[in-house]
Amino acid sequence: MVMRKFGMAVLLSLATIASASESGVLSYRAQRSLDAGKIAKSYGQLERALLASRKESDLRSEARVLMAMAQIRTMSLDFAFADSLLAQVREEILDKNTNLMLLQGKAALANAQEKFDETAKMCASADADSIKKADKPLQAAFFSECAIAQAAKRRTDDADESLKMVGKRSDKKGGFYAYTAARMADVSGRGEADSLYREAEKKSIQNNVPYMTATILYLRSQLKSTPADEAADLKLRCKNAFELMGLPNNAKRCGE
């Protein structure tokens, strides 16, 4: 399981495909590549894992790989492609864990497009008993998306409860919790967003999670409280980082 203090934010789907099968081995390699910030290489390994899962006739592994591919497409701001990958998942074969993976993937995609209404509705309709039976890191990732959407919709009590669940299902002193709190403050217009982002950035660097570090740099550059010269420096840093990770859409956004 990807349990670095920040790492669970990235590609949870792969952590559950641990087997000696060809698709399992390729998925494991894809996770290692992603951890190293080699996003394009990770996606290429997932494409091979998808073919292998279909050769193995393992529908559940195929679903997990599709969700992992969609997550990378969401990360790379290729939202239409991410949606098309999620649409290929056969929901009828999912167990409680993989079903929550799909819901989390859809919530992450909606939040990335700032469609907070959609995520809030998903969170409200989710089956609480099924969520409790899923892996704790996956629960944390799902509740993180809920907390952010609920904060954006000014559903303060719901958002605080979701954040509490993130803390219970992950390391409350870790970067993932700090990032969630920062993003909540940001989307709801609270002034402490910058200080929270700085804390999350520090932990992301310590735990060597390049994608999250660069994302935080971009988000800090967008805050109204950030001085123009500092914002320009933040954009340059995140642009360089995303270019080196092979994420042109993200790099372009940083350069705007």
Side-chain angles (χ1 to χ4, degrees), residues 91 96-97 99-107 117-134 138-139 141-147 150 155 158 162 165:
E91 296 187 41
K96 288 181 171 59
N97 212 51
N99 188 65
L100 185 57
M101 285 181 199
L102 180 60
L103 193 60
Q104 191 273 337
K106 289 179 177 179
D117 271 328
E118 290 186 17
T119 300
K121 289 177 182 176
M122 291 181 211
C123 296
S125 63
D127 181 66
D129 289 335
S130 294
I131 294 173
K132 289 178 182 178
K133 294 177 182 177
L138 180 57
Q139 290 184 50
F142 175 69
F143 281 119
S144 174
E145 301 297 345
C146 292
Q150 290 158 346
R155 299 178 184 175
D158 290 339
S162 292
M165 294 303 295

Side-chain angles (χ1 to χ4, degrees), residues 64-250:
R64 288 172 178 144
V65 174
L66 283 167
M67 287 185 276
M69 293 172 69
Q71 199 164 1
I72 287 186
R73 288 293 181 178
T74 297
M75 291 164 60
S76 62
L77 310 181
D78 196 346
F79 302 135
F81 204 156
D83 186 61
S84 70
L85 289 166
L86 291 176
Q88 295 179 50
V89 174
R90 300 188 187 185
E91 296 187 41
E92 70 276 6
I93 57 88
L94 301 181
D95 57 16
K96 288 181 171 59
N97 212 51
T98 47
N99 188 65
L100 185 57
M101 285 181 199
L102 180 60
L103 193 60
Q104 191 273 337
K106 289 179 177 179
L109 177 58
N111 274 356
Q113 300 173 86
E114 298 189 349
K115 296 179 179 179
F116 300 120
D117 271 328
E118 290 186 17
T119 300
K121 289 177 182 176
M122 291 181 211
C123 296
S125 63
D127 181 66
D129 289 335
S130 294
I131 294 173
K132 289 178 182 178
K133 294 177 182 177
D135 293 339
K136 286 185 178 180
L138 180 57
Q139 290 184 50
F142 175 69
F143 281 119
S144 174
E145 301 297 345
C146 292
I148 292 165
Q150 290 158 346
K153 300 305 296 179
R154 303 298 193 272
R155 299 178 184 175
T156 306
D157 290 344
D158 290 339
D160 289 344
E161 183 62 27
S162 292
L163 180 62
K164 185 186 299 184
M165 294 303 295
V166 174
K168 287 182 177 180
R169 299 296 184 263
S170 65
D171 182 357
K172 195 171 182 179
K173 296 181 180 179
F176 185 62
Y177 181 89
Y179 170 79
T180 303
R183 191 74 183 118
M184 289 170 64
D186 188 355
V187 297
S188 59
R190 302 203 310 271
E192 68 267 31
D194 184 59
S195 62
L196 291 170
Y197 274 139
R198 288 175 185 269
E199 180 65 18
E201 178 189 337
K202 178 182 176 182
K203 292 176 178 178
S204 179
I205 291 172
Q206 288 174 345
N207 289 286
N208 190 27
V209 190
Y211 174 83
M212 292 308 305
T213 303
T215 297
I216 292 167
L217 294 176
Y218 170 74
L219 293 170
R220 283 185 57 210
S221 76
Q222 299 301 297
L223 295 174
K224 293 180 180 179
S225 61
T226 304
D229 56 343
E230 184 179 359
D233 180 64
L234 291 168
K235 287 181 179 181
L236 178 60
R237 289 168 60 196
C238 79
K239 180 175 181 291
N240 290 338
F242 281 130
E243 284 178 346
L244 291 170
M245 281 183 264
L247 295 173
N249 291 338
N250 305 66

